[in-house]
Amino acid sequence: MSALSRALTIDEPGSHRLAEGPLPEPGPGEVRVRVAAAGICMSDREVFDGHRDSAYVRYPVVPGHEWSGTVDAVGEGVDPALTGRRTVAEGFRACGRCERCRYGETSLCTAGYDETGFTRPGAFADHVVVPARLLHPLADDADLRAAALLEPAAVIAAAVRAGAPEPGERIAVLGAGTLGLLAVQLLAAVSPTELTVIDPREQRAAQALDFGASEALTPKESEEVRGRYDLVVETAGAPSTAADACLLARRGGRVVLTGMFTPGAMGIDPVHLSLSQLTVRSVFGAPSAAWSYAVRAFTAGLLDPAPLITHEFPLERFAEAVALVGSGDPGTGKVLLRP
């Protein structure tokens, strides 16, 4: 193995460099993972463009919070049997000691925000070092290319767990991006009587039907089915979709918001919320239990993120890769970096 490792660093918004340095060594309780694939999402684009809230990024930073790889070294106190295991890992560096962590809500850790790829070196690199306690080992034959999408899958698993879907319910997914299409797969496994996907993009709607949706509607068409659904999972983060999701839910229904909304997004009508007796939950990141849920679904074959991948680039072509993300090209799905 080479004693050197490459990492792509964003020094400040709009400025990046790919440099080679000493192979990182895992400290006590840590492992080093050889990265197989790392996904680029809009959060990474925001880091590159300088649009991410300053409380949620620390420059200079090696991005990369969606990734998979193989453990190739362990630090003091870590089981050496992990060496050679295919794995993914949670991004949040939860303290494990505060009240929320002890309750199992690790994504609500009160010790302060700390996440791989944003405040700690991430996986846009040959290697990434993470605490061993955050690992979720995979099967020996796991597809590491597809497994790079288990981070967004864990976010959707958190949304599914929060929505508590039951067999035979009417369910709508608002948005057919990466999160929305992963949601379709997980929700289809619950056997709803209806699973409707709402998205203006014809190509994405067709893919949702392939993934298990029973119908696909445009936003305009969805106005005819407002008040129909037991559960609505919002994944788009568009200015009106939080309010739209509440209008789609039946009285007494449930709404889960997963999209990252920008300032100026349309608010939820409190009168409608009150009179309809809706339960509204939001999701940011994923607690440990949601990661376990996603990994189990992936291992069981209920979740297959591979069809969402449309582009793969080496680290040297990061600028080209990140430009595709959020470009609006309907042919662009998940973009991967392959160190």
Side-chain angles (χ1 to χ4, degrees):
M1 180 183 298
S2 171
L4 297 174
S5 182
R6 298 171 304 155
L8 188 142
T9 300
I10 297 177
D11 291 302
E12 59 184 13
S15 174
H16 75 281
R17 57 188 166 86
L18 179 61
E20 195 172 56
L23 192 65
E25 293 297 333
E30 295 181 329
V31 299
R32 184 179 67 219
V33 179
R34 172 76 190 191
V35 178
I40 305 177
C41 84
M42 275 303 297
S43 296
D44 300 307
R45 176 69 186 263
E46 289 169 359
V47 169
F48 181 67
D49 290 341
H51 296 157
R52 188 170 174 86
D53 188 312
S54 61
Y56 295 94
V57 63
R58 186 181 303 143
Y59 297 101
V61 62
V62 178
H65 61 287
E66 304 178 4
W67 59 270
S68 63
T70 303
V71 177
D72 72 0
V74 301
E76 180 184 349
V78 178
D79 184 356
L82 283 172
T83 305
R85 287 296 304 271
R86 299 184 181 199
T87 194
V88 291
E90 298 173 36
F92 285 146
R93 304 291 185 98
C95 72
R97 298 181 297 274
C98 70
E99 182 180 12
R100 289 300 91 202
C101 283
R102 300 290 286 179
Y103 197 69
E105 297 175 338
T106 51
S107 59
L108 295 175
C109 177
T110 60
Y113 174 75
D114 195 9
E115 185 175 5
T116 300
F118 296 106
T119 62
R120 302 290 186 103
F124 289 179
D126 290 326
H127 300 86
V128 62
V129 173
V130 296
R133 62 185 172 84
L134 300 181
L135 294 184
H136 287 265
L138 304 173
D140 292 341
D141 61 350
D143 178 359
L144 288 178
R145 177 174 171 271
L149 276 69
L150 282 174
E151 191 277 341
V155 173
I156 282 301
V160 170
R161 285 167 53 84
E166 296 185 5
E169 287 194 313
R170 296 188 178 102
I171 301 176
V173 176
L174 194 49
T178 297
L179 292 180
L181 292 173
L182 291 172
V184 169
Q185 289 195 16
L186 289 181
L187 290 165
V190 183
S191 300
T193 190
E194 294 179 20
L195 181 52
T196 302
V197 171
I198 300 163
D199 196 285
R201 297 167 293 183
E202 183 177 339
Q203 184 175 345
R204 288 304 182 95
Q207 195 167 20
L209 294 174
D210 292 338
F211 279 13
S214 57
E215 67 173 343
L217 303 176
T218 66
K220 181 64 176 177
E221 290 170 337
S222 72
E223 294 177 7
E224 302 299 319
V225 291
R226 286 178 173 176
R228 180 174 181 81
Y229 298 99
D230 301 290
L231 170 64
V232 182
V233 178
E234 185 282 328
T235 68
S240 68
T241 50
D244 292 341
C246 292
L247 294 175
L248 287 164
R250 64 163 173 84
R251 294 193 70 201
R254 295 145 8 242
V255 176
V256 183
L257 308 176
T258 70
M260 293 299 292
F261 300 97
T262 57
M266 187 183 302
I268 297 170
D269 180 358
V271 175
H272 175 77
L273 185 66
S274 178
L275 294 179
S276 297
Q277 300 181 61
L278 299 180
T279 299
V280 180
R281 293 281 306 273
S282 62
V283 167
F284 175 68
S288 297
W291 274 90
S292 294
Y293 187 111
V295 170
R296 287 197 305 271
F298 178 68
T299 302
L302 299 174
L303 180 69
D304 179 15
L308 300 178
I309 301 166
T310 59
H311 296 79
E312 301 177 53
F313 295 90
L315 290 174
E316 292 86 349
R317 295 173 64 188
F318 167 75
E320 183 180 348
V322 77
L324 279 174
V325 178
S327 66
D329 182 350
T332 299
K334 176 53 66 175
V335 178
L336 296 183
L337 290 177
R338 300 292 301 270

